[in-house]
């Protein structure tokens, strides 16, 4: 094993945080995961794996301190009573097992929550409509409420210490998400008592809570403050000047400053709209105002960037949520001189959808994420090969590539055959769209790993037929031949093809992704989105930035609807408007003619014509399963050969996200040759704790 590059030694310095000392500077900041209290074993195992991978501090997601902050249906953490302790004790035990510190982020969400389950009134500095249940208002907190609120923090902190946590946070960040931030913001805090008005007054509650926590548990636990230094709203929100005053006022009170920008979509900036270390200019002032250590995030995956952040006095600890999800072993890889093997986060934010949709988080790059306990999948170790030796994988998209990597890890002899010139399938074609450039890491990481493996043979520009496959000498065949976008408009809205006049021009998505463009640069292009994820907007963005006249039409009420779950939506709206893309919602296509399309309202039949020289339907895909089907049809011909199985995986089985294709490839590799009971679906999660 190579040695650590001395250039990165600084990343492994211990850091003093109040009464605690870290083993290095790698710090997994609090992040949601869709598991929380509902899937506690899965959550705890996932956190433990991060500690094993070298993260010196591993934090929970936000943890509600009281039933008046009920985040249901989201599945985050709670510390409302002693009944919640077993979940926390389990997590702490997993983190401590690897000599890492465990942190907990206490929160009250004020008017952000509507308390769907507990049905308590929401609390806020004043009567404010709740975020998630319009029409329902929060109650303006009385002095007695404020006293209770402080006590809930103290009670939760004492419980957190009993659970074994080393670092206890209070949380005033992510925009309007927390009550303490709501008190800081003059647009919400219109109180006329000593908790409202001047900045000193608006900071009072945060100062009191910090002091309460110090007094209650500060002798043995470090007290951290997570604070958003800028909402990027100018004078309408928290900005640099106010944030500097706040940091100046509280400078030495917390043992650790965890700083970022708000709201969440700016903090967890998708790679389409921001790159590594994107928060540097906003947060760098903090270290000039405090002697306490500072942690910050910036989707750090490059050890050189991390070192420069420390040397340039921006931060002391390398904060990470997404990079630790994509590669829980990132710190160990740097420590062992294997930084080339880091599986870099692509900034797609598939992981954040777990929080929005309340399911266990999944990651495009890391197929084991969320499956550490449920399926016993470890991100580094994998069961050795079974009885058979050789596997042929046809198609090197994300499914085929991941299957090849994981099978080679297991020790199989792997042959990967790809029809095109490059490995990567849809990842290569989609990343021809400039804004999706970082997603190429899905293919690059795996292509590089395969190039290092002696037990993998890769063939490009090699289109295999069923006969060739049958006559080859492999025990197992995986078909990962992908999918193609339809051009007949069949999708969610249209279950039958849309009438298309002969002299009209339809441009297939795959053609655009392969570089084809309308020959006439001034041609009007209409993109019809019945897919509702990222691709239609990325195509619109690309073509508009090339100077083309673009209209985006969708039958949905909003463009790129599903990207609300990936924090891309607001950025997409802004970018497309800046580029002059015309947006038409609530309309479907009823007819395509030369030079125009006829649209109809999805609710009532009010046809309208829109100019469109070229139409690009982004509706649904067809699985490229003909090779698989042919092999099935020829089963009698290969029944007597060495072939034990032919399996269809990824998009050629059922078109889906890149994350699902990677997962399918991994699942295939994990389960090959395993007895059925071992290749089980998943372990059931039963709740821990009492009533
Ligand atoms: P997935 O997301 O399931 O991995 P992709 O569409 O990204 O699917 O990738 C499928 C890959 O399979 C493409 O790169 C395609 O060129 C390749 N492919 C399709 N048919 C064959 C074949 N008969 N032989 C080899 N490669 C193939
Ligand atoms: Fe990064 Fe995407 Fe994985 Fe989230 S899902 S950690 S953004 S690669």
């Amino acid at each position: 094993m190579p040695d650590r590059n001395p250039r990165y030694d600084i990343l492994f310095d211990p850091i003093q945080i109040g009464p605690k000392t870290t083993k290095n500077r790698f710090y997994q900041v609090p992040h949601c995961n869709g598991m929380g209290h509902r899937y506690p074993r899965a959550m705890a195992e996932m956190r433990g794996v991060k500690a094993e991978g070298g993260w010196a501090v591993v934090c929970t997601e936000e943890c509600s301190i009281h039933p008046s902050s009920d985040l249901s249906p989201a599945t985050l953490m709670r510390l409302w009573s002693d009944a919640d302790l077993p979940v926390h004790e389990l997590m702490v035990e997993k983190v401590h097992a690897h000599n890492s510190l465990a942190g907990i982020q206490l929160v009250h969400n004020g008017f952000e929550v509507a308390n769907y389950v507990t049905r308590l009134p929401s609390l806020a500095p004043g009567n404010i409509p709740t975020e998630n249940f319009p029409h329902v208002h929060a109650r303006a907190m009385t002095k007695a409420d404020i006293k209770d609120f402080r006590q809930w923090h103290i009670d939760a902190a004492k419980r957190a210490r009993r659970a074994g946590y080393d670092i206890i946070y209070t949380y005033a960040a992510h925009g309007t998400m927390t009550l303490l931030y709501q008190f800081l913001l003059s647009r919400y805090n219109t109180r006329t008592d000593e908790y409202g008005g001047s900045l000193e007054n608006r900071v009072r509650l945060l100062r009191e809570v910090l002091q309460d926590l110090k007094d209650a548990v500060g002798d043995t636990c470090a007290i951290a403050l997570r604070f958003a230094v800028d909402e990027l709203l100018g004078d309408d929100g928290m900005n640099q000047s106010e944030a500097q005053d706040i940091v100046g006022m509280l400078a030495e009170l917390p043992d650790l400053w965890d700083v970022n920008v708000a709201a969440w979509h700016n903090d967890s900036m998708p790679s389409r709209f921001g790159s590594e270390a994107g928060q540097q200019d906003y947060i760098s002032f903090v270290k000039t105002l405090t002697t306490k250590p500072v942690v910050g995030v910036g989707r750090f995956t490059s050890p050189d960037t991390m070192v420069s952040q420390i040397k340039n006095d921006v931060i002391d600890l390398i904060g990470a949520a997404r990079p630790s999800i994509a590669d829980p072993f990132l710190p160990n890889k740097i420590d062992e001189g294997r930084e080339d093997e880091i599986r870099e986060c692509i900034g797609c934010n598939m992981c954040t959808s777990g929080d929005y949709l309340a399911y266990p988080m999944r990651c495009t790059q890391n197929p084991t994420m969320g499956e550490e306990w449920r399926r016993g999948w470890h991100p580094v170790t994998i069961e050795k090969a079974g009885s058979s030796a050789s596997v042929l994988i046809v198609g090197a998209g994300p499914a085929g590539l991941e299957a090849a990597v994981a099978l080679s890890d297991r020790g199989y002899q792997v042959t990967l055959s790809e029809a095109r010139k490059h490995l990567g399938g849809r990842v290569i074609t989609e990343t021809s769209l400039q804004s999706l450039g970082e997603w190429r890491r899905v293919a690059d990481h795996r292509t590089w790993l395969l190039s290092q493996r002696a037990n993998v043979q890769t063939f490009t520009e090699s289109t295999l037929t069923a006969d060739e496959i049958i006559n080859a000498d492999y025990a197992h065949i995986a078909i990962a031949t992908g999918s193609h976008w339809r051009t007949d408009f069949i999708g969610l809205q249209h279950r039958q093809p849309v009438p298309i006049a002969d002299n009209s021009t339809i441009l297939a998505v795959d053609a655009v992704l392969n570089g084809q463009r309308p020959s006439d640069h001034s041609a009007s292009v209409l993109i019809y989105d019945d897919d509702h994820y990222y691709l239609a907007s990325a195509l619109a963005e690309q073509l508009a930035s090339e100077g083309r006249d673009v209209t985006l039409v969708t039958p949905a009420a909003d463009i790129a609807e599903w990207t609300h779950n990936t924090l891309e939506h607001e950025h997409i709206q802004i970018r497309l408007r800046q580029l002059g893309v015309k947006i038409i919602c609530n309309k479907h296509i009823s007819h395509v003619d030369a030079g125009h399309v006829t649209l109809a309202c999805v609710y009532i039949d009010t046809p309208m014509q829109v100019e469109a020289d070229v139409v690009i339907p982004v509706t649904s895909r067809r699985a490229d399963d003909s090779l698989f089907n042919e092999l099935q049809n020829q089963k009698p011909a290969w029944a007597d050969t060495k072939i034990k199985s032919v399996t269809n995986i990824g998009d050629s089985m059922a078109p889906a996200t890149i994350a699902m294709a990677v997962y399918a490839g991994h699942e295939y590799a994990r389960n090959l040759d395993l007895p059925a009971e071992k290749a089980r679906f998943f372990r059931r999660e039963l709740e821990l704790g009492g009533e």
Side-chain angles (χ1 to χ4, degrees):
M1 195 172 285
D3 292 333
R4 180 166 87 208
N5 185 330
R7 205 163 72 231
Y8 305 137
D9 283 351
I10 194 171
L11 299 175
F12 294 87
D13 291 344
I15 300 292
Q16 185 82 31
I17 309 177
K20 302 288 178 179
T21 306
T22 66
K23 64 182 179 189
N24 60 42
R25 294 182 189 256
F26 292 95
Y27 192 110
Q28 183 244 274
V29 294
H31 71 75
C32 61
N33 51 84
M35 294 182 252
H37 68 273
R38 195 176 299 162
Y39 304 99
R41 294 180 183 86
M43 178 279 298
E45 195 72 28
M46 177 269 291
R47 301 289 190 201
V49 162
K50 304 239 201 134
E52 184 190 353
W55 298 89
V57 178
V58 178
C59 297
T60 61
E61 61 272 41
E62 61 179 330
C63 172
S64 164
I65 58 171
H66 189 262
S68 59
S69 180
D70 158 27
L71 276 151
S72 308
T75 57
L76 295 142
M77 295 286 265
R78 293 168 174 168
L79 206 35
W80 295 350
S81 73
D82 286 358
D84 294 307
L85 279 173
V87 179
H88 294 273
E89 286 162 354
L90 184 61
M91 176 189 139
V92 170
E93 180 196 321
K94 298 278 180 189
V95 172
H96 283 174
H98 301 284
N99 200 22
S100 301
L101 301 177
I104 180 168
Q105 181 177 236
L106 303 180
V107 70
H108 193 292
N109 299 91
F111 69 79
E112 172 80 11
V113 287
N115 299 329
Y116 293 134
V117 174
T118 64
R119 301 182 72 166
L120 291 170
S122 304
L123 299 173
N127 275 144
I128 297 170
T130 57
E131 284 276 315
N132 295 325
F133 210 143
H135 195 69
V136 175
H137 290 60
R139 192 178 84 208
M141 286 171 79
T142 63
K143 291 282 179 57
D145 289 328
I146 288 177
K147 199 167 158 232
D148 288 345
F149 171 79
R150 289 175 59 184
Q151 190 59 45
W152 300 334
H153 261 98
I154 294 168
D155 295 344
K158 286 183 174 166
R159 285 198 178 96
R161 173 159 69 179
R162 275 168 57 204
Y165 286 106
D166 306 284
I167 300 173
I168 299 181
Y169 270 78
T170 193
Y171 181 21
H174 288 125
T176 55
M177 227 142 95
T178 78
L179 183 56
L180 284 168
Y181 211 62
Q182 293 158 19
F183 265 81
L184 293 178
L185 298 173
S186 53
R187 70 179 183 277
Y188 299 124
N189 185 348
T190 52
R191 298 175 73 96
T192 52
D193 61 7
E194 69 269 34
Y195 290 98
S198 67
L199 186 61
E200 184 74 41
N201 282 357
R202 284 181 275 129
V203 171
R204 187 176 310 280
L205 186 56
L206 178 56
R207 182 197 293 280
E208 287 174 349
V209 168
L210 277 168
Q211 193 60 58
D212 288 343
L213 295 183
K214 293 278 278 192
D215 295 343
V217 295
D219 54 337
T220 54
C221 296
I223 305 303
L225 170 59
R226 198 168 207 202
F227 174 57
V229 298
D230 205 320
E231 291 185 283
L232 312 188
L233 298 174
D235 288 343
D236 293 336
M238 179 69 65
N239 54 35
Q240 292 281 298
S241 126
E242 209 165 55
Q244 285 179 15
D245 289 342
I246 293 171
V247 176
M249 284 175 188
L250 302 175
E252 302 300 312
L253 193 48
D255 297 313
L256 172 80
W257 283 88
D258 178 341
V259 288
N260 58 5
V261 295
W264 191 19
H265 62 261
N266 291 323
D267 184 24
S268 291
M269 181 66 87
S271 64
R272 272 178 80 172
F273 305 101
S275 54
E276 187 177 28
Q279 303 201 20
Q280 173 172 330
D281 292 346
Y282 298 100
I283 63 172
S284 55
F285 77 86
V286 178
K287 267 189 69 61
T288 66
L289 296 175
T290 179
T291 63
K292 299 297 169 106
V294 175
V295 59
V297 291
R299 206 161 49 78
F300 299 118
T301 57
S302 151
D304 291 311
T305 306
M306 297 174 195
V307 168
S308 81
Q309 292 279 301
I310 293 164
K311 290 200 166 156
N312 292 334
D313 255 353
V314 181
I315 47 180
D316 302 292
L317 291 138
I318 304 300
R322 292 173 292 172
S324 75
I325 294 166
D327 194 342
F329 275 63
L330 181 150
N332 282 3
K333 287 179 180 173
I334 298 172
D335 195 21
E336 293 161 6
R338 296 188 294 123
E339 53 275 4
D340 286 353
E341 292 176 34
I342 293 173
R343 188 171 47 210
E344 293 181 285
C345 166
I346 67 168
C348 63
N349 286 359
M350 178 54 72
C351 49
T352 67
S353 70
D355 183 51
Y356 282 106
L357 301 173
Y359 61 68
M361 169 171 68
R362 58 188 59 171
C363 169
T364 301
Q365 277 283 55
N366 176 9
T368 65
M369 177 45 61
E371 305 297 339
E372 300 86 349
W373 181 83
R374 289 203 325 161
R375 313 201 66 179
W377 288 0
H378 188 273
V380 172
T381 54
I382 191 164
E383 191 131 355
K384 286 297 147 220
S387 50
S388 40
S390 63
V391 186
L392 170 67
I393 302 166
V394 186
L401 281 174
E402 176 61 24
V405 170
L407 286 168
S408 97
D409 284 342
R410 289 191 64 193
Y412 286 94
Q413 288 296 325
V414 180
T415 302
L416 179 61
S417 169
E418 166 55 49
R420 290 184 228 170
K421 214 171 174 172
H422 302 287
L423 304 182
R426 64 183 285 195
V427 172
I428 300 300
T429 49
E430 289 183 26
T431 54
S432 68
L433 304 177
Q434 272 169 22
S435 65
L436 297 181
E438 278 197 45
W439 294 26
R440 213 184 137 108
R441 291 171 171 183
V442 173
D444 291 347
H445 171 68
R446 291 168 174 81
T447 302
W448 185 83
L449 285 180
L450 293 178
S451 74
Q452 308 298 302
R453 304 287 167 89
N455 61 345
V456 180
Q457 272 192 303
T458 303
F459 297 96
T460 50
E461 296 181 274
S462 153
T463 307
L464 291 184
T465 63
D467 287 341
E468 285 166 340
I469 292 169
I470 292 168
N471 293 324
D473 201 23
Y474 294 97
H476 296 283
I477 321 285
I479 303 297
T481 45
S483 63
H484 274 91
W485 285 92
R486 304 183 73 108
T487 52
D488 56 6
F489 294 88
I490 285 183
L492 284 172
Q493 180 71 29
H494 295 283
R495 303 297 172 169
Q496 300 293 329
V498 164
I500 302 170
D502 287 344
N503 53 354
S504 54
T505 305
I506 302 289
L507 191 54
V509 170
D510 293 301
V512 183
L513 296 178
N514 281 305
Q516 200 175 317
R517 296 288 185 270
S519 48
D520 176 4
H521 198 273
S522 63
S524 53
V525 180
L526 186 145
I527 299 172
Y528 180 68
D529 183 15
D530 195 19
D531 171 58
H532 311 289
Y533 191 20
Y534 61 90
L535 195 58
S537 69
L539 286 165
E541 181 183 0
Q542 177 75 34
L543 295 177
S545 62
E546 290 170 10
R548 294 173 193 275
D549 171 7
V550 180
T551 302
L552 181 60
V553 177
T554 178
D558 201 355
I559 58 164
E561 266 194 330
W562 205 80
T563 62
H564 281 287
N565 302 312
T566 54
L567 303 172
E568 295 166 292
H569 183 262
E570 184 155 332
H571 299 293
I572 290 171
Q573 288 277 13
I574 294 169
R575 178 73 57 87
L576 295 193
R577 281 169 167 72
Q578 284 169 341
L579 288 168
V581 174
K582 286 162 269 179
I583 292 171
I584 302 176
C585 296
N586 290 320
K587 296 274 193 287
H588 67 86
I589 285 194
S590 56
H591 207 274
V592 182
D593 289 290
H596 71 271
V597 299
T598 306
L599 302 179
C601 171
V602 292
Y603 300 111
I604 54 169
D605 192 17
T606 47
M608 69 185 262
Q609 284 196 353
V610 175
E611 187 194 333
D613 298 318
V614 176
V615 182
I616 304 175
V618 188
T619 57
S620 66
R621 283 174 287 156
R622 274 183 219 274
D624 289 337
D625 54 6
S626 55
L627 182 60
F628 175 75
N629 291 337
E630 207 176 316
L631 285 165
Q632 290 305 307
N633 293 338
Q634 293 197 36
K635 205 164 183 177
W638 53 266
D640 296 331
T641 68
K642 195 176 157 188
I643 297 174
K644 287 188 187 173
S645 72
V646 176
T647 312
N648 193 8
I649 61 172
D651 289 348
S652 52
M653 194 265 287
T657 60
I658 297 172
M660 288 185 189
V662 170
Y663 181 86
H666 194 83
E667 183 184 41
Y668 170 76
R670 285 264 176 185
N671 289 344
L672 196 68
D673 283 330
L674 288 195
E677 68 277 8
K678 266 196 131 180
R680 66 191 177 275
F681 181 43
F682 57 78
R683 286 203 270 177
R684 274 182 70 208
E685 180 103 36
L686 299 174
E687 281 201 10
L688 288 177
E691 292 177 1

